């Protein structure tokens, strides 16, 4: 798993886990008292996680613009969109009113954003592989030459690989325009002569 994981994702996951442990420790065992050294370190880790989340968002947006990304329409999609919009609004609100959230909450917001973006359900098809993130487990990665069969059913599309894996995509989980593009792309993968 770690061989395919890009370094920015490892940094994001590691920083997220470390932030949760540190915030939990200080607020559970130290009654919220955090020295300036630890607060500075936790702020730096939180900022690094925020940068990794921003990088992930940038990659998703560029993949979508290239026509490689097909986001699924479910709770993760709407939560991610709402979070991406609400975090800057929350910052502006705090700056204007002078009322900020607790430091621990502010430090954990980038962790929340990173986790949401990483768990966005999506299909990605480029010129090399198909990657399907259809649940909270790791994405299914299939090189295009391992796609054995793409079959359209009444409610979706089934993809079978040469290794015996099956990926089922339901039309109900995609916006109509996204589904149309995804269907066309999958039919090209299933029938390379098209």
């Amino acid at each position: 798993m770690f061989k395919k994981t890009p370094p920015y994702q490892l940094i994001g996951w590691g920083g997220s886990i470390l932030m949760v442990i540190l915030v939990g420790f200080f607020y559970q065992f130290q009654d919220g008292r955090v020295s300036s050294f630890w607060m500075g370190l936790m702020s730096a880790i939180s900022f690094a996680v925020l940068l990794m989340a921003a990088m992930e968002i940038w990659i998703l947006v560029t993949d979508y613009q290239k026509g490689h990304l097909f986001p699924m329409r479910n709770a993760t999609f709407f939560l991610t969109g709402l979070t991406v919009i609400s975090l800057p609004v929350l910052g502006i609100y705090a700056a204007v009113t002078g009322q900020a959230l607790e430091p621990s909450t502010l430090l954990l917001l980038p962790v929340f954003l990173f986790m949401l973006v990483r768990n966005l359900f999506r299909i990605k098809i480029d010129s090399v592989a198909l990657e399907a993130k259809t649940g909270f487990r790791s994405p299914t990665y299939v090189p295009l030459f391992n796609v054995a069969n793409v079959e359209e059913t009444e409610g979706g599309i089934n993809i079978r690989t040469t290794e015996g894996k099956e990926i089922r995509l339901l039309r109900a989980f995609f916006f109509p325009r996204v589904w149309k593009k995804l269907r066309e792309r999958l039919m090209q993968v299933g029938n390379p002569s098209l």
Side-chain angles (χ1 to χ4, degrees), residues 18-29 42 103-105 107-108:
L18 188 57
M19 275 305 303
V20 170
I21 290 170
L22 287 172
V23 168
F25 172 78
F26 282 110
Y27 283 85
Q28 183 69 27
F29 300 111
M42 290 166 54
S104 61
T105 306
L107 292 173
L108 289 175

Side-chain angles (χ1 to χ4, degrees), residues 7 27 38 69 73 156 178 189:
Y27 283 85
W38 284 104
L69 182 75
R73 177 179 63 180
V178 171
V189 169

